[in-house]
C-alpha cells in the first residue's frame, strides 16, 4: 500500500515539476527577450489615441506631432531614425513626413492595426538609441505610397498616358507630369493600377512650374477616377493661373456632373512645395469631399452629395495640360511623393501624455481595447483573426499582413509570423488560357493570394481574344503583361519573320485596343545567344524594336533562362524595364528553398544589378512545392534576403494551372496560446495515470 501510494505521489510530483518548469521557461523566454529589447532605448513617451467618428478602424494611420512643448529633440538621433512605436509587445509601422530638429518640429504617421469606435488606445514611443537604424516606411504605413526614388516610373504601380507633347519624367526623386512643348493640346497623366474604396484620402506633395512665356502655366489636376476610358465616376480637384489662384472641384457619378468653381485659392508661389490632400469619404450616410492644404482642411471646399459623389472603388491620378487657347502655355506638376491613406471625417485625436525612463515603462502601455491582438482587415476582405499574446513580440505589423492570405481559412500563428509581407509589392503568376477559368473565381483567388500581376501567354494568331479578359483584370486593379515567343528560338533559321510579326501584332493591338497590355515580356529561348542563322533575328534587335515602338506606353521585359550568357544582359538592358529570371529547372537539386534559389540566380541578379536594372524571380510549382504556403514562405524569404537590394522587383509563379491544384497549407503541429501546452498535454496524461493508480487502490 505504501509503495503504491509513494509511486503515485512521485509521478504526480514529477509532472507538477514539468508543469511549473514549462510555464516558467515560456514566461522567462518572453521576459528576457523584451528586457533586452527595451534596454536599448533610453527614453519613452506614452501616447493616447481616441477614436471620434464612432467607427471601428482597421490599419488607420494617425498623425503624431512633436514640438518643443512635448518632445526633447536633443535626446534622439539627428534624423529621428531611432524612433520606435509599439502597442503592447507589437511593433507599429510609421513614416516620418517632416523632421526639423533645428526648429523642433516633426510630423510622424503611425499605422494602428485597429482602433475601436469611441475608445482610447495607448501606444508607446521609444527613442534615444544611437545604434538604431532607420525603419521609417511609407510603403508599410499607407495603403499606397510612392516617393519616386527610382529614375523611372514604377510601371507595376502606375499607368501613364500623354497626348501632344506631354510626357512623364522621373529623376532625382521627383516625378514631373508635364506639358512641356509649345502645343495647344499637350497633356500627361499618371494613374494608379490599384483602386481604393471610399473613406480614402489622396495626398501629393507637389509644385507648379511654368516653362513657357504664358505665366498662367499649365492646368493641374489631382483626384480619383474609376476608368480612364469611360470616366463614369470621378472626383477632380483642378488648379489654374499663377499661384494656382483658381481652384475648381468637379464630381461625376454615372455621368451626372457637379462643378464648383473658384471656391478657394491655393495661393502658393510657383516653385514652392506644398501638400495637397483630397479626401473622399462617407459620414452620416452621406458621401463627402474635402480638400486639405499642408494638412489643414479648407471648409470652402467641403462638398456633400449622394447624387453626384460615387461610392464605387476608384484609382488615383495626377494630370497636367496646356490651355486649348494658349499655344505657349507650358509647364509641369513636380511631385515629391504621393500616398493614399484611410480617412474618416472626424479623425482620431492624439495626445502625448508623459515622459518616462525606459526601465520604468508600465504595463499600461498595452492598448486598452487590446488592439495589438487584432489583425487588421485587409483591402481584399480577409477576415479578422486573433493573434495570441505569447507569439506577438518582436513581430512588426506587416508580419500580419503578408499578401498571400486566404480569406477562407484560419492561419496558424506560426504561419502568420513566417508569412510577413515582403518589402516589394510585386507578385505575379504565369497564366495560359484565361477563359478556361471562371473569371470572378480566378480574380478572387488572385486577390486573396495578393497576386497583382498576370503574365499572360499570348498566341499571336488571335491576340484580340484576350481583350475582354484584360479589361476585366484592369477593372479589378490587376496588371496584365503579354508573354511572347515562349516556344520559339528567334535565332533559328526561318524564325525571324515569326518573331517580328508576333511583336508587331501585340504592339498593334495595344495601339487600338480598349484594354491594352500593361507590358510585353519576350521569352528568351535557352539557346538564344547563338549567332542568328539566315532569316532569323537576334534578341537584341527584337528588344530594341519593342522599346522603340512602345514609345514609353508599355513596359518591356525579358524572361531569361538560368543557362544563358550573363554578360549579354548588358546588351539588352538599355531596352528593357526589368528582367524575369526563371529559377527552374534545378539540375542537381530542387529550387524550392531560399538558399537554393538565391544561389541559382546569383549570377543573373549580379549582372542585372550592375546594369542598374531590376529583376523578378520566377519559381516553378513543379520544383517540389508541397502546398501554396510553402511558396508563400519562399517569397517571404526572398524578400527578406533582398530587402536592401534595389535590383529585386518581386517574385512570380509558373504557372497558375499547376498552382491552383496545390492545397492551401501544409498541416503542421499547431501552436497554442497556452505557454508550455505540449508539456501540459503530458501532465494531463500523468494525472490520468495518477487517477488510474488511485482507482486501483480503491
Amino acid at each position: 500500500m505504501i509503495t503504491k501510494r509513494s509511486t503515485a505521489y512521485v509521478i504526480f510530483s514529477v509532472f507538477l515539476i514539468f508543469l511549473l518548469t514549462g510555464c516558467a521557461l515560456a514566461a522567462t523566454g518572453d521576459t528576457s527577450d523584451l528586457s533586452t529589447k527595451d534596454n536599448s532605448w533610453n527614453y519613452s513617451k506614452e501616447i493616447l489615441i481616441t477614436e471620434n467618428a464612432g467607427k471601428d478602424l482597421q490599419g488607420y494611420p494617425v498623425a503624431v506631432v512633436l514640438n518643443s512643448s512635448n518632445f526633447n529633440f536633443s535626446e534622439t538621433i539627428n534624423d529621428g531614425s531611432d524612433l520606435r512605436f509599439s502597442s503592447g509587445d507589437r511593433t507599429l509601422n510609421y513614416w516620418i513626413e517632416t523632421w526639423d530638429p533645428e526648429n523642433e518640429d516633426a510630423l510622424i504617421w503611425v499605422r494602428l492595426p485597429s482602433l475601436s469606435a469611441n475608445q482610447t488606445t495607448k501606444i508607446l514611443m521609444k527613442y534615444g538609441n544611437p545604434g538604431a537604424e532607420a525603419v521609417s516606411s511609407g510603403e508599410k504605413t499607407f495603403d499606397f505610397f510612392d516617393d519616386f526614388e527610382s529614375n523611372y516610373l514604377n510601371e507595376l504601380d502606375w499607368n501613364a498616358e500623354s497626348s501632344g507633347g506631354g510626357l512623364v519624367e522621373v529623376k532625382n526623386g521627383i516625378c514631373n507630369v508635364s506639358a512641356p512643348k509649345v502645343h495647344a493640346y499637350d497633356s500627361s497623366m499618371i494613374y494608379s493600377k490599384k483602386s481604393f474604396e471610399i473613406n480614402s484620402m489622396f495626398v501629393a506633395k507637389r509644385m507648379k512650374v511654368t516653362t513657357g512665356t504664358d505665366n498662367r502655366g499649365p492646368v493641374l489636376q489631382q483626384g480619383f477616377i474609376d476608368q480612364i476610358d469611360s470616366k463614369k465616376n470621378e472626383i477632380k480637384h483642378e488648379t489654374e493661373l499663377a499661384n494656382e489662384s483658381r481652384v475648381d472641384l468637379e464630381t461625376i457619378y454615372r455621368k451626372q456632373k457637379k462643378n464648383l468653381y473658384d471656391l478657394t485659392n491655393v495661393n502658393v508661389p510657383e516653385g514652392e512645395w506644398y501638400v495637397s490632400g483630397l479626401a473622399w469619404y462617407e459620414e452620416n450616410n452621406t458621401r463627402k469631399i474635402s480638400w486639405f492644404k499642408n494638412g489643414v482642411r479648407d471648409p470652402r471646399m467641403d462638398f456633400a452629395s449622394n447624387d453626384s459623389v460615387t461610392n464605387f472603388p476608384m484609382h488615383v491620378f495626377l494630370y497636367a495640360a496646356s490651355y486649348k487657347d494658349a499655344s505657349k502655355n507650358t509647364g509641369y506638376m513636380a511631385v515629391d511623393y504621393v500616398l493614399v491613406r484611410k480617412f474618416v471625417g472626424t479623425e482620431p485625436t492624439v495626445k502625448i501624455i508623459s515622459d518616462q525612463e525606459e526601465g520604468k515603462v508600465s504595463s499600461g502601455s498595452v492598448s486598452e481595447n487590446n488592439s495589438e491582438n487584432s489583425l487588421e482587415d485587409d483591402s481584399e476582405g480577409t477576415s479578422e483573426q486573433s493573434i495570441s499574446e505569447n507569439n506577438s513580440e518582436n513581430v512588426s505589423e506587416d508580419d500580419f499582413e503578408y499578401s498571400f492570405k486566404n480569406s477562407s481559412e484560419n492561419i496558424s500563428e506560426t504561419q502568420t509570423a513566417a508569412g510577413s509581407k515582403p518589402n516589394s509589392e510585386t507578385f505575379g503568376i504565369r497564366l495560359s488560357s484565361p477563359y478556361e477559368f471562371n473569371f470572378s473565381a480566378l480574380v478572387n483567388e488572385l486577390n486573396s493570394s495578393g497576386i497583382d500581376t498576370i503574365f499572360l501567354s499570348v498566341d499571336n494568331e488571335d491576340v484580340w481574344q484576350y481583350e475582354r479578359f484584360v479589361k476585366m483584370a484592369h477593372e479589378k486593379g490587376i496588371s496584365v503583361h503579354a508573354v511572347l515567343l515562349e516556344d520559339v528560338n528567334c535565332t533559328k533559321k526561318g524564325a525571324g519573320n515569326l518573331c517580328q510579326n508576333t511583336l508587331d501584332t501585340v504592339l498593334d493591338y495595344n495601339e487600338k485596343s480598349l484594354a491594352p497590355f500593361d507590358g510585353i515580356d519576350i521569352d528568351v529561348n535557352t539557346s538564344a545567344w547563338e549567332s542568328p542563322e539566315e532569316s532569323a533575328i537576334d534578341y537584341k534587335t527584337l528588344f530594341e524594336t519593342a522599346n522603340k515602338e512602345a514609345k514609353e506606353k508599355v513596359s518591356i521585359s525579358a524572361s531569361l533562362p538560368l543557362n544563358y550568357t550573363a554578360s549579354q544582359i548588358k546588351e539588352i538592358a538599355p531596352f528593357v524595364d526589368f528582367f524575369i529570371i526563371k529559377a527552374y529547372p534545378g539540375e542537381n537539386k530542387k529550387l524550392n528553398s531560399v538558399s537554393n534559389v538565391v544561389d541559382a540566380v546569383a549570377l543573373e541578379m549580379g549582372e542585372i544589378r550592375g546594369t542598374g536594372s531590376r529583376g523578378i524571380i520566377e519559381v516553378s510549382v513543379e520544383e517540389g512545392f508541397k502546398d501554396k504556403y510553402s511558396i508563400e514562405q519562399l517569397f517571404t524569404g526572398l524578400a527578406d534576403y533582398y530587402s536592401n537590394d534595389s535590383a529585386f522587383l518581386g517574385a512570380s509563379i509558373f504557372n497558375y494551372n499547376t498552382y491552383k491544384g496545390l492545397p492551401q497549407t501544409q498541416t503542421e503541429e499547431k501552436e497554442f496560446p497556452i505557454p508550455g501546452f505540449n508539456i501540459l498535454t503530458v501532465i494531463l496524461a500523468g494525472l490520468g495515470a495518477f487517477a488510474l493508480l488511485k482507482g486501483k487502490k480503491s
Side-chain angles (χ1 to χ4, degrees):
M1 180 75 68
I2 296 175
T3 302
K4 290 182 178 180
R5 180 178 300 176
S6 300
T7 303
Y9 284 142
V10 167
I11 293 174
F12 178 75
S13 300
V14 169
F15 284 115
L16 183 60
I17 292 171
F18 282 163
L19 171 63
L20 297 175
T21 303
C23 294
L25 286 174
T28 303
D30 292 347
T31 304
S32 61
D33 184 61
L34 292 175
S35 175
T36 300
K37 178 179 64 175
D38 289 345
N39 286 340
S40 301
W41 275 262
N42 296 318
Y43 308 99
S44 69
K45 288 178 178 289
E46 289 182 340
I47 301 175
L48 293 180
I49 301 170
T50 303
E51 200 287 322
N52 300 309
K55 297 181 179 181
D56 291 334
L57 305 180
Q58 303 289 332
Y60 200 92
V62 296
V64 176
V65 178
L66 303 180
N67 52 47
S68 58
S69 67
N70 61 23
F71 189 75
N72 186 348
F73 283 83
S74 66
E75 295 173 343
T76 64
I77 297 178
N78 194 47
D79 60 359
S81 58
D82 58 337
L83 287 180
R84 296 294 186 272
F85 295 86
S86 61
S87 180
D89 296 330
R90 182 173 180 177
T91 302
L92 304 179
N93 290 313
Y94 71 93
W95 177 66
I96 299 176
E97 180 174 348
T98 60
W99 184 267
D100 185 357
E102 184 176 344
N103 294 310
E104 297 185 289
D105 180 66
L107 173 61
I108 301 103
W109 292 92
V110 181
R111 183 180 176 109
L112 298 182
S114 65
L115 189 59
S116 297
N118 302 314
Q119 297 296 312
T120 296
T121 291
K122 192 181 295 183
I123 68 173
L124 189 68
M125 177 178 68
K126 297 181 296 183
Y127 55 100
N129 181 355
E133 296 183 356
V135 296
S136 169
S137 172
E139 289 86 351
K140 293 181 178 180
T141 304
F142 304 107
D143 294 348
F144 182 82
F145 181 86
D146 195 347
D147 56 3
F148 307 105
E149 286 302 307
S150 302
N151 286 323
Y152 53 85
L153 187 69
N154 187 346
E155 73 282 350
L156 297 176
D157 287 338
W158 297 99
N159 288 310
E161 288 192 357
S162 61
S163 63
L167 78 156
V168 177
E169 295 179 307
V170 178
K171 55 185 178 181
N172 301 323
I174 303 297
C175 177
N176 293 333
V177 183
S178 62
K181 297 184 178 180
V182 181
H183 190 282
Y185 299 97
D186 280 356
S187 71
S188 60
M189 167 191 283
I190 59 173
Y191 60 98
S192 67
K193 293 188 176 181
K194 183 178 179 180
S195 58
F196 306 92
E197 303 283 345
I198 194 170
N199 297 319
S200 295
M201 183 175 184
F202 178 33
V203 178
K205 184 177 180 180
R206 47 185 273 194
M207 174 172 63
K208 181 173 183 175
V209 178
T210 297
T211 56
T213 57
D214 188 333
N215 61 12
R216 293 181 296 175
V219 177
L220 306 179
Q221 295 177 3
Q222 173 184 348
F224 296 87
I225 193 167
D226 61 343
Q227 290 296 313
I228 301 302
D229 51 359
S230 64
K231 297 183 181 179
K232 292 181 181 178
N233 303 305
E234 185 177 8
I235 299 169
K236 179 173 61 179
H237 165 251
E238 181 177 277
T239 62
E240 301 179 27
L241 307 181
N243 297 343
E244 299 182 81
S245 59
R246 179 174 181 176
V247 179
D248 302 335
L249 179 66
E250 179 182 291
T251 65
I252 303 174
Y253 180 31
R254 296 182 175 180
K255 302 297 184 179
Q256 298 297 317
K257 291 187 178 181
K258 178 69 175 181
N259 290 90
L260 303 167
Y261 297 107
D262 295 329
L263 296 173
T264 189
N265 186 346
V266 176
N267 195 29
V268 173
E270 181 162 316
E272 190 171 298
W273 293 102
Y274 73 99
V275 178
S276 172
L278 190 63
W280 162 50
Y281 58 103
E282 193 166 25
E283 191 175 49
N284 299 324
N285 297 319
T286 303
R287 301 166 204 158
K288 298 182 177 182
I289 307 296
S290 294
W291 180 72
F292 294 73
K293 171 187 163 186
N294 292 329
V296 179
R297 187 184 203 143
D298 189 331
R300 291 169 293 184
M301 286 282 283
D302 286 348
F303 176 66
S305 171
N306 287 346
D307 296 325
S308 54
V309 176
T310 183
N311 60 352
F312 290 107
M314 292 197 289
H315 307 266
V316 296
F317 77 93
L318 297 170
Y319 171 90
S322 59
Y323 290 90
K324 295 181 179 180
D325 63 344
S327 62
K328 296 182 179 180
N329 187 70
T330 60
Y332 58 89
M333 178 197 298
V335 187
D336 187 14
Y337 62 77
V338 299
L339 63 91
V340 177
R341 70 175 181 91
K342 291 179 175 62
F343 179 88
V344 290
T346 306
E347 295 213 67
T349 53
V350 179
K351 182 179 180 181
I352 299 175
I353 61 173
S354 67
D355 281 312
Q356 327 180 30
E357 293 180 9
E358 181 60 23
K360 299 180 180 180
V361 175
S362 68
S363 59
S365 61
V366 178
S367 164
E368 293 175 6
N369 67 344
N370 292 324
S371 65
E372 70 275 15
N373 293 326
S374 175
L375 175 66
E376 71 179 77
D377 191 13
D378 76 302
S379 60
E380 283 81 27
T382 303
S383 60
E384 220 172 282
Q385 303 174 19
S386 294
I387 308 299
S388 77
E389 295 178 359
N390 74 308
N391 200 37
S392 62
E393 60 270 14
N394 291 332
V395 185
S396 69
E397 176 188 354
D398 270 344
D399 287 333
F400 300 92
E401 288 184 330
Y402 180 59
S403 57
F404 277 88
K405 289 188 277 193
N406 188 318
S407 60
S408 64
E409 298 185 16
N410 288 327
I411 303 176
S412 75
E413 296 158 11
T414 301
Q415 292 169 326
T416 308
S420 60
K421 185 177 181 181
N423 293 335
S424 173
E425 296 289 338
T426 305
F427 293 99
I429 197 162
R430 189 79 66 100
L431 190 66
S432 53
S433 300
Y435 295 122
E436 66 183 70
F437 310 106
N438 176 279
F439 178 78
S440 297
L442 171 65
V443 168
N444 287 338
E445 179 169 2
L446 296 183
N447 280 337
S448 66
S449 298
I451 293 171
D452 52 23
T453 305
I454 292 174
F455 294 98
L456 181 64
S457 300
V458 171
D459 184 350
N460 71 302
E461 293 181 1
D462 185 15
V463 68
W464 288 92
Q465 67 178 302
Y466 304 113
E467 183 179 46
R468 180 167 59 88
F469 173 79
V470 176
K471 192 174 191 304
M472 290 188 295
H474 285 170
E475 289 172 353
K476 295 295 184 179
I478 298 175
S479 303
V480 183
H481 294 236
V483 182
L484 312 182
L485 309 172
E486 288 180 283
D487 301 316
V488 180
N489 182 356
C490 294
T491 63
K492 291 297 184 181
K493 183 177 181 179
N497 290 337
L498 172 62
C499 294
Q500 187 63 59
N501 290 341
T502 299
L503 176 61
D504 291 342
T505 299
V506 176
L507 289 170
D508 180 69
Y509 164 88
N510 257 32
E511 286 292 329
K512 301 174 181 177
S513 175
L514 291 174
F517 291 106
D518 301 281
I520 296 175
D521 179 70
I522 298 176
D523 194 278
V524 178
N525 191 272
T526 301
S527 56
W529 302 115
E530 299 173 352
S531 299
E533 300 177 10
E534 185 180 355
S535 301
I537 186 172
D538 66 87
Y539 278 89
K540 178 183 176 182
T541 301
L542 199 62
F543 283 110
E544 189 173 6
T545 302
N547 179 272
K548 180 180 179 181
E549 296 298 324
K551 298 177 181 177
E552 299 183 356
K553 294 182 180 179
V554 61
S555 70
I556 305 297
S557 59
S559 285
L560 303 177
L562 287 177
N563 56 340
Y564 75 103
T565 305
S567 60
Q568 297 291 338
I569 278 186
K570 295 180 181 179
E571 294 187 12
I572 61 176
F575 311 113
V576 302
D577 297 287
F578 61 92
F579 293 88
I580 299 176
I581 308 171
K582 299 179 183 178
Y584 58 89
E587 295 182 0
N588 302 319
K589 47 190 171 184
K590 293 291 186 180
L591 300 183
N592 55 19
S593 67
V594 174
S595 58
N596 288 351
V597 171
V598 167
D599 290 344
V601 302
L603 178 60
E604 291 87 344
M605 285 298 292
E607 292 292 333
I608 290 171
R609 195 177 298 114
T611 63
S613 189
R614 307 181 79 187
I616 291 176
I617 298 175
E618 184 178 72
V619 300
S620 172
V621 177
E622 297 180 356
E623 287 296 297
F625 293 99
K626 56 188 177 181
D627 50 40
K628 293 177 182 176
Y629 172 55
S630 60
I631 297 178
E632 297 164 15
Q633 285 183 306
L634 175 67
F635 278 21
T636 303
L638 291 175
D640 289 341
Y641 181 84
Y642 292 108
S643 60
N644 296 317
D645 187 355
S646 61
F648 179 71
L649 184 56
S652 186
I653 305 168
F654 181 88
N655 62 38
Y656 178 74
N657 298 58
T658 312
Y659 174 79
K660 68 183 177 66
L662 292 176
Q664 175 62 28
T665 60
Q666 173 70 30
T667 302
E668 298 179 351
E669 183 182 11
K670 297 290 184 180
E671 296 287 341
F672 293 87
I674 304 175
F677 183 89
N678 294 329
I679 297 175
L680 184 58
T681 303
V682 179
I683 293 168
L684 293 175
L687 292 175
F690 175 73
L692 181 61
L693 287 174
K694 191 170 184 179
K696 286 184 176 181
K697 169 189 171 184
S698 300

